[in-house]
Amino acid sequence: EVQLVESGGGLVQPGGSLRLNCAGFGFTFSWYAMSWVRQAPGKGLEWVSGISSAGGTTQYVDSVKGRFTISRDNAKNTLYLQMNSLKTEDTAVYYCARGWPPSTVRGQGTQVTVSS
């Protein structure tokens, strides 16, 4: 069974940092590009970042460029999102998704709340 499991979310003050993790199970992780998407309260899904299967190519939505870094460890079947200089508008449920563009194969999500 294909499964993606996110972790690492939480409550952080503006300007703080968090690292999200996504573990993949049930498929050959290294074969797939991967994405992070998010859904803020009352809004639709927004693509945040993508990374190629080997990790050599990455891309970000303009609103997070210079603050977020996507990476992966194919030996550990794990995707990461390092989030620095967090803003209140980054508050959302964050999902990892298989594929770039992201497919409908997603995890259950992890809540990130940025608030003072």
Side-chain angles (χ1 to χ4, degrees):
E1 178 189 2
V2 174
Q3 223 178 349
L4 294 167
V5 180
E6 301 95 339
S7 61
L11 173 64
V12 63
Q13 291 186 341
S17 298
L18 283 174
R19 189 180 82 160
L20 305 184
N21 310 299
C22 169
F25 303 93
F27 66 102
T28 305
F29 185 82
S30 61
W31 287 2
Y32 290 85
M34 297 291 293
S35 297
W36 286 98
V37 299
R38 66 186 178 184
Q39 187 165 26
K43 297 190 177 180
L45 276 175
E46 176 187 36
W47 173 83
V48 174
S49 181
I51 187 168
S52 60
S53 58
T57 302
T58 60
Q59 198 166 39
Y60 303 88
V61 68
D62 284 348
S63 60
V64 309
K65 281 180 183 175
R67 300 188 298 120
F68 290 10
T69 303
I70 190 172
S71 62
R72 64 191 297 161
D73 185 338
N74 285 342
K76 295 182 178 180
N77 292 347
T78 302
L79 177 72
Y80 304 100
L81 186 67
Q82 177 67 44
M83 306 186 295
N84 299 329
S85 302
L86 281 160
K87 304 176 180 181
T88 55
E89 52 263 45
D90 294 319
T91 295
V93 178
Y94 285 72
Y95 303 88
C96 64
R98 194 170 71 175
W100 177 22
S103 72
T104 56
V105 178
R106 293 195 296 265
Q108 82 289 347
T110 186
Q111 175 71 48
V112 171
T113 303
V114 185
S115 175
S116 55

